[in-house]
Amino acid sequence: MTGPAAFELRSVFAGPSDAPILRDVTVDLPARGVTAVAGPSGSGKSSLLRLLNRLDEPVSGDVSWQGRNLHDWSPTELRRQVGMVFQRPPIFRGTVRDNLRVASSSLDDVRAAAVMSDANLPVELLDADASTLSGGEAQRMCFARALLTEPRVVLADEPTAALDQSATGSIERLGRTLADAGVAVIWVTHDTGQLRRIADHVLALVDGRVASFGHLPELDVHDDPIVRRIVGAA
């Protein structure tokens, strides 16, 4: 890996203690760019992501953020720096503005308009009922909500899995914009086409273990055909 690490995982096991989903995972995840996490269903992609902002805890091993073990961070403090966007965007009752205020109760009009712009949403939607948003708009609203805490990392757990092609492209461009602005993005995907469009780095998981980590040109010629298949090598 080149550059500093955002997260350092050392000998991490996670999931049920008698049948862990993640097994002996040791990897450094970069503090820059888009890191795609890919692998077959059940390989531990979402489990790994949930460890990174303490939605789940490892059975054993250590996970560190900015050089500090996650156990030394309060979940609230950590989650203001490590935002998360889920496959199915959680929408709260009320307007889009009300949903954004879940992340920032003191949100004013200027900041609200700015974060809507950052998420490629028209400011006119601020007073719309959040339940009326399209799937793509709802997902972008959730990105906007995550951005209100000015995170250093955004974790995205298959954020486009339920979206059409147009909405998917919009979310991918948003992820790329965030990465180019210095926010590290760790993005779980099962879509090899998406992986090849957005990834600066790829973490390939197989059966809960790290099969490979690196850049696409390296993984395209990996010795393991499973890794080559995961990254969609020609």
Side-chain angles (χ1 to χ4, degrees):
M1 186 193 74
T2 58
F7 291 96
E8 300 171 357
L9 291 83
R10 296 291 180 268
S11 301
V12 170
F13 289 74
S17 57
D18 58 344
I21 297 170
L22 293 175
R23 296 182 287 168
D24 200 21
V25 170
T26 293
V27 68
D28 290 348
L29 300 178
R32 298 191 181 97
V34 177
T35 298
V37 182
S41 296
S43 59
K45 302 183 297 295
S46 295
S47 295
L48 183 142
L49 215 62
R50 291 174 63 85
L51 293 178
L52 302 183
N53 73 346
R54 295 195 64 185
L55 286 174
D56 290 335
E57 302 285 349
V59 174
S60 62
D62 295 305
V63 183
S64 298
W65 153 249
Q66 296 293 302
R68 290 171 56 192
N69 193 293
L70 289 195
H71 290 301
D72 297 332
W73 292 85
S74 74
T76 300
E77 180 186 13
L78 178 70
R79 291 169 192 163
R80 293 195 70 81
Q81 298 190 48
V82 182
M84 190 160 182
V85 178
F86 299 90
Q87 178 178 337
R88 296 186 181 279
I91 299 175
F92 300 100
R93 182 176 299 177
T95 65
V96 170
R97 190 190 306 270
D98 293 332
N99 272 258
L100 297 181
R101 282 181 171 151
V102 171
S104 176
S105 59
S106 60
L107 182 70
D108 60 25
D109 289 344
V110 173
R111 181 68 179 120
V115 78
M116 291 287 280
S117 176
D118 289 343
N120 298 315
L121 286 169
V123 69
E124 292 78 15
L125 282 181
L126 275 169
D127 295 314
D129 186 329
S131 67
T132 67
L133 297 180
S134 69
E137 288 170 340
Q139 194 61 283
R140 279 178 282 160
M141 179 189 72
C142 291
F143 268 95
R145 191 164 58 204
L147 294 178
L148 279 169
T149 64
E150 299 183 350
R152 300 177 70 175
V153 177
V154 170
L155 310 175
D157 191 2
E158 298 199 57
T160 65
L163 303 182
D164 62 24
Q165 185 174 357
S166 175
T168 292
S170 179
I171 297 297
E172 289 176 358
R173 288 190 294 274
L174 176 55
R176 185 72 262 167
T177 298
L178 292 176
D180 291 345
V183 178
V185 179
I186 302 176
W187 186 304
V188 168
T189 183
H190 66 278
D191 182 338
T192 55
Q194 180 172 82
L195 179 151
R196 300 190 73 83
R197 290 190 296 270
I198 67 171
D200 297 303
H201 324 274
V202 180
L203 172 62
L205 295 175
V206 177
D207 294 330
R209 300 181 185 273
V210 176
S212 190
F213 176 79
H215 301 288
L216 271 173
E218 302 162 355
L219 274 59
D220 278 345
V221 294
H222 198 278
D223 291 341
D224 188 340
I226 295 176
V227 171
R228 296 198 303 271
R229 187 164 59 248
I230 287 170
V231 300

